[in-house]
Amino acid sequence: MDIDESFIQSIEHRPKSTTVEVEGIPVIDLSALNSQDLVVQVGDACKNWGFFQVINHWVPSNCREKVELASRAFFQQPSSEKRKVRRDEANPMGFYDTEHTKNVRDWKQVFDFTVENPTVVPASHEPDDVELQEIVSQWPEYPPNFREACEEYAREIEKLAYKLLELISLSLGLPAEKFNGFFKNQTSFMRLNYYPICPIPHLALGVGRHKDSGALTVLAQDDVGGLEVKRKSDGEWVQVRPTPNAYIINVGDVIQVWSNDKYESVEHRVMVNSERERFSIPFFFNPSHKVMVEPLKELTSKQNPARYKPYNWGKFHTTRNISNFKKLNVENIQIYHFRI
């Protein structure tokens, strides 16, 4: 069997033959009557896991069903059709099937679209270049209700993301709306993931190990499962068992910096499956390109000084995007480059 070697993970990063399934990742009921309890639960989950699941989250189930059906219909088309909306260096939104994580190719196909249309970002990663560009989503002709299903769903998830952001803010001892202003003219985007059946599940990964660079990720996964999280207590990879109608939430690098390391962005990866294809839909909640990301003054003190230098979110994000298409003369940028 001919398998492209670019998919094969180095030995230390290959999936283990046995998976550790845990009950430990907190499941938080957002309809809880006592909002203070909710704040404490969210804070504990962010601190101890960096990941949690939410149920009773007010996202209408028919809205999720519509986007899941549209996603399946889109990915089941021939490659020639999907490539009509292929993303490229000029527009990082659209279909893509050769994404690499840590220089190893992921066993997946994606379709990305922006939440704000258009979305404004820096035109280049060069620090002195002040030029901006508008990114506009590309929409396929088929399935016919695709755009409508995607946009309606994105708005519902955006409401949930703001609610979670407010709970996180309260859990840090800040006013509920402390972070909201950073998301005016946000650069958030949504991704439809398709993981085809894989004949080498012991050698390849759907997505290699990584941390999310934005603020928050809100993920819908189907019943196949495959998401693994690196447990903070012992560094063990543990699988997040799918909970029907739940959303999986994880803290990204931006919240790690804002909280001055009180909450940590955690490594995660996606297993592939030799028997079933898998679909998932992450929403990447990202601030405006203008935002300078730095530890919040309220969370730093003489005893707990800022651990990061400020960095511009737009430049950071653009560097990451461009590096998907060509090797830049800079190392793939990470928040530890700004650590003091």
Side-chain angles (χ1 to χ4, degrees), residues 297-308:
K297 302 270 186 292
E298 298 93 323
L299 301 178
T300 56
S301 63
K302 254 195 182 128
Q303 295 72 38
N304 182 30
R307 297 180 185 188
Y308 297 89

Side-chain angles (χ1 to χ4, degrees), residues 121-323:
V121 295
S124 92
H125 67 290
E126 299 294 348
D128 303 326
D129 185 352
V130 294
E131 196 184 335
L132 298 172
Q133 67 169 347
E134 289 190 342
I135 292 177
V136 182
S137 298
Q138 305 188 71
W139 296 105
E141 286 175 22
Y142 178 86
N145 58 342
F146 185 79
R147 177 176 183 170
E148 185 192 344
C150 288
E151 290 184 333
E152 182 193 352
Y153 179 74
R155 286 299 167 208
E156 291 296 339
I157 298 297
E158 183 189 19
K159 287 182 213 162
L160 172 59
Y162 272 113
K163 175 74 181 159
L164 294 164
L165 197 66
E166 291 179 2
L167 288 166
I168 288 169
S169 187
L170 289 166
S171 75
L172 288 164
L174 302 166
E177 294 182 353
K178 173 68 187 176
F179 295 122
N180 292 17
F182 295 133
F183 293 84
K184 188 177 187 311
N185 304 319
Q186 61 186 313
T187 56
S188 305
F189 71 98
M190 197 157 237
R191 166 168 287 182
L192 309 178
N193 280 322
Y194 168 50
Y195 302 95
I197 288 171
C198 177
I200 50 162
H202 56 300
L203 298 177
L205 287 168
V207 184
R209 70 196 198 288
H210 67 287
K211 299 181 175 194
D212 290 350
S213 59
L216 264 189
T217 305
V218 180
L219 173 77
Q221 66 167 344
D222 64 14
D223 63 340
V224 176
L227 175 68
E228 290 196 337
V229 174
K230 200 170 201 178
R231 187 161 51 195
K232 284 177 71 173
S233 58
D234 58 5
E236 182 76 57
W237 286 106
V238 296
Q239 193 153 38
V240 183
R241 185 181 299 159
T243 301
N245 301 319
Y247 285 97
I248 298 168
I249 315 300
N250 66 285
V251 167
D253 289 347
V254 167
I255 282 182
Q256 178 169 328
V257 174
W258 282 339
S259 74
N260 205 30
D261 283 350
K262 183 166 182 186
Y263 295 161
E264 190 187 337
S265 171
V266 172
E267 260 194 332
H268 49 288
R269 65 184 189 182
V270 175
M271 301 293 100
V272 282
N273 195 301
S274 60
E275 290 158 21
R276 294 180 66 191
E277 53 189 9
R278 174 179 182 261
F279 295 85
S280 73
I281 308 176
F283 172 99
F284 298 103
F285 196 35
N286 295 336
S288 156
H289 76 88
K290 295 177 187 165
V291 168
M292 293 301 293
V293 181
E294 60 188 309
L296 295 176
K297 302 270 186 292
E298 298 93 323
L299 301 178
T300 56
S301 63
K302 254 195 182 128
Q303 295 72 38
N304 182 30
R307 297 180 185 188
Y308 297 89
K309 295 183 292 226
Y311 64 89
N312 172 258
W313 167 251
K315 288 290 181 189
F316 183 95
H317 186 52
T318 297
T319 306
R320 294 281 282 247
N321 267 347
I322 295 173
S323 69

